[in-house]
Amino acid sequence: MTWRATILTLFPEMFPGPLGVSLAGKALASGLWELEARDIRASATDRHRSVDDTPAGGGPGMVLRADILAAAIDAASIAPDRPRLLMSPRGRPLTQSRVVELAAGPGPLIVCGRFEGIDQRVIDARGLEEVSVGDYVLSGGEIAAMALCDACVRLLPGVMGKEASGAEESFSEGLLEYPQYTRPQVFEGRGIPEILTSGDHAKVAAWRRAESEALTRFRRPDLWEAKGQQKPPKDTTRG
Ligand code: SAH
């Protein structure tokens, strides 16, 4: 079965957008995954096709109505085994391991919020899993949904050139990736670390591992600790 993302949005014209070019776009064109962007407004019932209303209890902005959004979710009639996600700054921050899980499944339904967000009752009633792309606030869920889809799609079988390119990169082992180099041999007076041009694969692997560990310890002590290693030393790593 083909991996499929079903997006519920007030701006379906934003899709495929960046997902229509490069790696994800080629994969989309060749049928390695499917994208369906559905207009929430199509489920509006009144003459003005309104989808939002003022927040109960007062305050600024507008809130997406529970009844309209629930109708839009139901109209998408997705299989019960598909994850139902809501892009939300209150959600659990997206990680590579969740991306791997999502990529291995049938593909999610993704609700994109707008305005002040969506009525809590539809989150509860439709069992939406809130997913965040970071501790900052976007104006809508679409760009967040694109980030999630992009991260999943590159892991689908046949999408990346070499099977290996997904295995050895940032977060794959709870570590950040080592620095990469390519030609020219010298750039503005800066060479390439000698080991990388030595042809000694074992030494290259050891160097990369050490660099990955040093970067992770210094830049992401949270990841390093989660990996069950000791605390970062103060000053032994690169800046
Ligand atoms: N008032 C809300 C923010 C609403 S932003 C709050 O303070 O929590 C409007 C929409 O953008 C949200 O409903 C959500 O779908 C999306 N969004 C904003 N920031 C996001 C983030 N960091 N991750 C995922 N989605 C986000």
Side-chain angles (χ1 to χ4, degrees):
M1 202 183 59
T2 312
W3 194 89
R4 180 182 183 86
T6 302
I7 315 279
L8 295 189
T9 170
L10 287 170
F11 301 98
E13 67 274 21
M14 286 176 79
F15 293 87
L19 297 172
V21 298
S22 191
L23 204 69
K26 279 182 203 149
L28 186 59
S30 60
L32 291 172
W33 68 293
E34 291 169 357
L35 177 65
E36 183 193 10
R38 298 176 63 94
D39 191 353
I40 295 169
R41 205 172 291 280
S43 296
T45 46
D46 68 353
R47 209 154 52 82
H48 304 289
R49 299 232 148 263
S50 57
V51 292
D52 56 340
D53 213 326
T54 53
M62 300 293 272
V63 176
L64 260 167
R65 284 170 52 145
D67 54 346
I68 309 287
L69 194 49
I73 292 170
D74 298 345
S77 60
I78 61 155
D81 63 328
R82 291 180 62 195
R84 298 167 170 225
L85 313 180
L86 166 66
M87 302 320 297
S88 161
R90 304 188 316 182
R92 187 197 290 261
L94 186 61
T95 60
Q96 188 65 13
S97 56
R98 184 71 181 119
V99 165
V100 168
E101 277 173 14
L102 288 169
L109 170 95
I110 307 176
V111 176
C112 301
R114 277 275 157 181
F115 321 124
E116 285 309 312
I118 76 175
D119 190 307
Q120 181 63 40
R121 292 169 295 176
V122 69
I123 303 178
D124 301 337
R126 292 297 178 273
L128 301 179
E129 172 191 341
E130 294 181 69
V131 178
S132 166
V133 292
D135 292 344
Y136 46 85
V137 180
L138 299 167
S139 53
E142 289 78 8
I143 291 174
M146 286 174 195
L148 185 148
C149 288
D150 183 81
C152 289
V153 164
R154 61 195 290 283
L155 298 182
L156 299 177
V159 173
M160 269 193 287
K162 268 196 258 155
E163 288 299 332
S165 32
E168 209 182 275
E169 61 185 0
S170 290
F171 312 114
S172 56
E173 278 184 72
L175 293 173
L176 302 179
E177 195 182 60
Y178 46 81
Q180 301 273 18
Y181 298 88
T182 184
R183 275 183 271 277
Q185 193 68 37
V186 178
F187 164 68
E188 295 183 353
R190 297 163 194 256
I192 292 175
E194 260 171 42
I195 282 181
L196 296 181
T197 49
S198 67
D200 184 331
H201 298 305
K203 275 197 180 147
V204 168
W207 180 88
R208 286 179 165 169
R209 180 79 191 186
E211 289 287 319
S212 273
E213 292 185 357
L215 269 174
T216 310
R217 287 164 79 171
F218 183 69
R219 291 191 184 171
R220 294 293 303 273
D222 57 322
L223 288 180
W224 185 251
E225 276 183 56
K227 221 176 136 50
Q229 312 281 8
Q230 70 274 39
K231 282 206 146 203
K234 278 280 171 289
D235 52 18
T236 55
T237 52
R238 56 168 61 229

